[in-house]
Amino acid sequence: MAAMTKEAVEVTAPAGTVPYSRLDTMFFVVGGVSAVWLTSLLVQLSFQWGWAQVWFLFIFWGLLAYLVLPRLHRILTRLYVPDYFIGRARTSDGLLGDPVNVALLGSEPQVHRVMQTAGWTLADDVTLASSRRIVTSTLLRRSYLEAPVSPLFLFGRQQDFAYQQEVDGTPGKRHHVRFWRCPPGWMLPGGLAVDWLAAGTYDRSVGLSLFTLQITHKIDEHTDVERDHVVAAITGADPGAEVRVIRDFSTGYHARNGGGDTIITDGDLPIVDLRNTAGVPAESDRSATDSRNKRPAPTIVGAVLVGARAAAAVLLALSLVLLRDAHVSSLLQPGAGPAVTEAQAEAAVTIATVMVLLFALVEVLLAWFVFLGRNWARTVAMALSTAAIGLQAFDVFHGGPDITLQSNLPGLALDILLLLALSSKRSRDYALRPRKEPKRYSSRAGGRTAN
């Protein structure tokens, strides 16, 4: 048996190191501007809805809090928030998040073991199921020991994993700490090498974010207390853990976190050395993986919206088939355009039906490749939505028909939501994630070797 002669290699650079292309930047900005336009349209249409204005308030808040403000923050923070390590994590909107207040030396199994031995619980990943469960557990004050924590970003990626301790039998209050593996060769300012960085804070309640108006956990302002709680839990669980402290390591940029909560800290950074502790996890170890390899919600939503566009095309094709006579008659009516014969009208409807069905098929395939995380598919989907939004805007601002709920608002909203989803950082990072070429084999001299 011949030995492998070629290892799998990365075919893309890590997303965190790939600068935004002009095309991605354009889609990102157009998505933000379009979201503002959609919000203004909803405000105008709300005055026509009568009693439905009550529901409009929820729609308006949801659009503002989860689409418009996050995108505006993301655009602005790319301009004024430093893109290098300053002792703070960042939210998915680009805002400064919780302070990074613990560093660690040691392997991942050592981190898992000491945290589990100390009585902390590994948090679930953020999924639709876990998100639904934490909402119901918080509202009904039910215990959810593995409740997920929101993603914060360091080194261009979200935390590798998080641990927590529930308080009062509800996820509304809890101790929690996020962990990020440091990139190979990376050093703290001053030249110290560590293996992990962590951010520990205490969730005291649930409320609205000051900056985005989203529903989120509110943290206790005295983050040093939680930092010391995390370190004490580790050293109490394993006497082999050693601690040294860098005084006044990070005192700048500490005023509020991404939810608008006040932060008070002395800036000290304890470094916990776990290299002399045991390395076998106390419980089953869920190995951390690069967060860019986890399919994010915006990519899934984008794929669904592309599929919705395909479904709309299929419905239009069905209308052309089932109501063929009506469509032919509309082309024959005076004033519908240049005079055409009945045969020409029927041919036009047939061609239109075929074209719409082909468009639907292309959209289905595009939705699948977007779901798989192919960057070309993401780019094509965003380009189609950008073109559709641009045509709508050009038509409206040059005396065309107004946007109405009964006519073109649903299609416009679909394209804007699709553009927002696929132009998000998480969707872009997933599309540009490191991928490995499949190993190819061929038979040679009775053996199998890599090509």
Side-chain angles (χ1 to χ4, degrees):
M1 182 73 69
M4 293 291 297
T5 59
K6 183 178 180 180
E7 298 294 332
V9 297
E10 289 187 358
V11 295
T12 59
T17 64
V18 178
Y20 272 78
S21 66
R22 292 182 179 179
L23 197 59
D24 262 323
T25 300
M26 182 197 71
F27 290 141
F28 192 86
V29 174
V30 170
V33 174
S34 300
V36 174
W37 182 34
L38 180 59
T39 305
S40 67
L41 288 174
L42 287 176
V43 172
Q44 297 170 28
L45 293 173
S46 69
F47 295 105
Q48 307 172 13
W49 292 356
W51 289 103
Q53 288 187 20
V54 176
W55 288 106
F56 159 76
L57 292 177
F58 290 100
I59 297 174
F60 176 76
W61 165 75
L63 188 65
L64 185 68
Y66 289 92
L67 296 179
V68 176
L69 290 179
R71 179 50 57 95
L72 293 180
H73 282 307
R74 190 70 195 170
I75 293 172
L76 294 175
T77 53
R78 287 182 61 185
L79 300 177
Y80 66 77
V81 175
D83 196 25
Y84 49 83
F85 179 77
I86 58 174
R88 294 286 294 275
R90 295 179 66 165
T91 69
S92 57
D93 311 321
L95 297 168
L96 293 178
D98 294 346
V100 174
N101 50 17
V102 180
L104 302 99
L105 291 165
S107 66
E108 181 177 340
Q110 288 173 319
V111 175
H112 282 296
R113 179 193 177 279
V114 75
M115 293 303 294
Q116 293 170 9
T117 302
W120 291 67
T121 304
L122 185 64
D124 287 342
D125 291 329
V126 177
T127 62
L128 291 177
S130 64
S131 298
R132 182 177 63 251
R133 185 178 174 188
I134 191 175
V135 170
T136 57
S137 298
T138 301
L139 293 176
L140 301 177
R141 297 187 63 82
R142 293 176 178 171
S143 176
Y144 182 9
L145 295 177
E146 304 85 8
V149 301
S150 60
L152 290 182
F153 293 79
L154 199 62
F155 309 122
R157 56 184 173 81
Q158 74 178 58
Q159 68 269 7
D160 293 279
F161 52 85
Y163 276 88
Q164 64 181 16
Q165 287 180 325
E166 194 174 81
V167 177
D168 295 336
T170 171
K173 294 182 179 181
R174 57 182 176 175
H175 304 276
H176 66 297
V177 56
R178 298 174 176 88
F179 293 86
W180 291 267
R181 186 194 303 275
C182 298
W186 185 86
M187 294 185 179
L188 289 168
L192 287 174
V194 294
D195 298 315
W196 300 86
L197 290 179
T201 52
Y202 176 74
D203 286 339
R204 55 181 172 83
S205 63
V206 175
L208 293 180
S209 166
L210 177 66
F211 299 132
T212 64
L213 304 181
Q214 295 176 2
I215 298 174
T216 185
H217 279 95
K218 312 296 287 183
I219 69 168
D220 186 85
E221 61 184 1
H222 299 287
T223 57
D224 293 347
V225 174
E226 188 67 7
R227 174 198 68 195
D228 296 341
H229 174 68
V230 172
V231 174
I234 292 175
T235 55
D238 195 321
E242 301 176 357
V243 181
R244 59 172 172 157
V245 179
I246 304 177
R247 300 294 180 187
D248 302 317
F249 173 78
S250 177
T251 56
Y253 297 100
H254 285 53
R256 294 182 182 274
N257 73 348
D261 304 325
T262 302
I263 295 173
I264 299 175
T265 177
D266 56 19
D268 291 351
L269 180 72
I271 300 179
V272 184
D273 192 341
L274 303 176
R275 290 175 294 183
N276 293 326
T277 64
V280 179
E283 298 177 9
S284 59
D285 174 22
R286 186 184 69 190
S287 297
T289 58
D290 193 329
S291 59
R292 291 167 299 184
N293 293 324
K294 300 175 183 177
R295 184 176 289 107
T299 296
I300 298 174
V301 171
V304 170
L305 292 175
V306 175
R309 203 159 56 188
V314 170
L315 291 176
L316 176 58
L318 287 175
S319 170
L320 291 171
V321 171
L322 299 178
L323 304 175
R324 180 182 179 86
D325 293 341
H327 289 292
V328 171
S329 298
S330 67
L331 294 177
L332 295 175
Q333 291 176 359
V340 295
T341 65
E342 184 174 352
Q344 290 174 327
E346 291 182 350
V349 172
T350 299
I351 293 173
T353 303
V354 173
M355 294 298 293
V356 170
L357 285 175
L358 287 176
F359 177 78
L361 177 60
V362 170
E363 288 285 71
V364 169
L365 294 174
L366 192 62
W368 175 244
F369 284 112
V370 167
F371 181 79
L372 294 179
R374 299 295 186 264
N375 191 52
W376 66 265
R378 183 183 71 97
T379 301
V380 170
M382 290 191 296
L384 290 174
S385 288
T386 299
I389 294 168
L391 289 174
Q392 288 266 36
F394 182 85
D395 197 28
V396 169
F397 295 127
H398 285 79
D402 292 333
I403 304 291
T404 65
L405 182 63
Q406 294 79 13
S407 59
N408 41 10
L409 180 62
L412 177 64
L414 185 150
D415 281 310
I416 293 176
L417 293 176
L418 189 154
L419 187 58
L420 286 171
L422 295 185
S423 65
S424 66
K425 181 181 185 300
R426 294 179 66 193
S427 184
R428 173 184 179 271
D429 286 354
Y430 182 69
L432 296 176
R433 68 196 184 282
R435 288 191 294 271
K436 295 184 177 181
E437 294 179 344
K439 299 181 181 69
R440 299 186 298 272
Y441 300 91
S442 64
S443 298
R444 182 182 301 171
R448 301 175 69 85
T449 60
N451 290 325

